[in-house]
Amino acid sequence: RGFWLLGFSHGSVLFNTVSSLSAVLLSVDCQSAVGVVGQTTEISCSFRKRFPDQSITITAVTVTKRGATGPVFQMNGKVQGDPRFNLPSRENPSLQITNTALSDEGLYEYVVVTNRGIIQDGTFRISVTANYSKPVMNSWPVKTADGGPADLYCNASGGYPSGTIHWFDGTGTNWTNRATLEITEGEDKLVHLSSRLSLTSIDSSWGEFRCVVLNSRFIPEGESTLRLRIMESCTCCSFRKSCTFQFCIG
């Protein structure tokens, strides 16, 4: 791994000696990164030096995703591989990925060649998330009577990993344990959340209902509110006429 950088077709005694010596004097530490789909991901890396006053310049790098057949990014005079990868500075081993995708998740091996030696054991991990869309709410029936039944629906899509939906009424009561949640994963691995809250007897004093979308870490990402449309009482019923769906039938 990394032999291409020096032009060797096989591991030589000289290469192994230089590599072992540089590993003692110089190493690279990278932090795990969490990227968001469509945004730029920063992979923070730094040199760990035996001598703090060393001036280090990067001359070449190779980034290989664990399990891949070849490097995803190479920089050795010219840049090759995925154009979304970038090494912003020749003095700093930190990397960037623009337009992050779910496929970027995984463990990476990082080889760095510098004027002070070769670092072969750099690694970092990328996790990727996607934000859910603002939830959309509706009810069935659209209008209901005070004391009548109704189903409330809340839908959000485009998120990753799987999240959940919580329900609250205007008084702050949590109705989540009365709701059912359906999770659907698309071909692009993005997740659609669909929750239904079935109420058997509406109480107008509950006020508006609120659904809150939480990501996989249970951090709220968005919410919407819906005020139930309560129909007025059927006044004609006092005249002993039958009432159906709050419409008087003589």
Side-chain angles (χ1 to χ4, degrees):
R1 184 180 64 180
F3 291 179
W4 69 272
L5 293 169
L6 296 181
F8 287 102
S9 60
H10 57 83
S12 65
V13 174
L14 174 62
F15 178 86
N16 290 331
T17 301
V18 172
S19 180
S20 299
L21 180 60
S22 63
V24 173
L25 301 178
L26 185 66
S27 63
V28 63
D29 289 335
C30 295
Q31 303 298 316
S32 296
V34 178
V36 179
V37 169
Q39 299 183 17
T40 297
T41 300
E42 305 281 348
I43 299 105
S44 178
C45 301
S46 60
F47 289 119
R48 179 175 294 180
K49 300 176 286 187
R50 174 66 65 88
F51 303 104
D53 58 344
Q54 283 181 323
S55 176
I56 301 175
T57 301
I58 298 171
T59 57
V61 299
T62 299
V63 178
T64 305
K65 187 175 183 180
R66 183 73 59 86
T69 56
V72 296
F73 175 68
Q74 297 177 354
M75 189 276 292
N76 183 20
K78 63 178 182 178
V79 176
Q80 295 178 301
D82 192 332
R84 298 177 303 121
F85 279 77
N86 181 38
L87 178 74
S89 170
R90 292 296 185 99
E91 284 73 43
N92 189 321
S94 296
L95 297 164
Q96 289 181 341
I97 306 177
T98 59
N99 195 24
T100 304
L102 289 179
S103 58
D104 295 326
E105 274 200 325
L107 180 64
Y108 292 78
E109 298 171 351
Y110 191 18
V111 177
V112 184
V113 178
T114 76
N115 61 325
R116 298 290 183 176
I118 304 166
I119 307 168
Q120 292 194 88
D121 57 356
T123 61
F124 59 87
R125 180 177 295 278
I126 298 176
S127 301
V128 180
T129 65
N131 295 328
Y132 285 92
S133 63
K134 180 178 175 64
V136 176
M137 297 181 68
N138 53 47
S139 66
W140 183 259
V142 177
K143 293 182 179 181
T144 187
D146 198 5
D151 288 333
L152 309 185
Y153 298 89
C154 180
N155 294 275
S157 59
Y160 183 86
S162 296
T164 190
I165 292 177
H166 284 190
W167 290 90
F168 302 90
D169 66 19
T171 68
T173 301
N174 190 329
W175 291 80
T176 305
N177 62 347
R178 303 274 190 97
T180 58
L181 178 65
E182 182 179 346
I183 300 175
T184 306
E185 185 177 289
E187 293 183 0
D188 56 3
K189 292 189 177 181
L190 295 179
V191 176
H192 178 83
L193 303 176
S194 180
S195 181
R196 182 182 70 182
L197 175 61
S198 295
L199 303 171
T200 57
S201 180
I202 296 293
D203 187 333
S204 59
S205 67
W206 291 336
E208 63 184 14
F209 275 79
R210 178 168 55 100
C211 76
V212 181
V213 176
L214 298 95
N215 61 27
S216 60
R217 293 173 293 169
F218 289 92
I219 297 174
E221 284 195 354
E223 63 178 64
S224 292
T225 57
L226 176 69
R227 183 173 292 278
L228 295 175
R229 299 175 65 182
I230 308 296
M231 293 184 294
E232 296 180 359
S233 300
C234 187
T235 56
C236 65
C237 291
S238 61
F239 300 100
R240 296 187 178 182
K241 297 179 181 180
S242 62
C243 292
T244 303
F245 298 111
Q246 296 301 306
F247 290 98
C248 297
I249 300 176

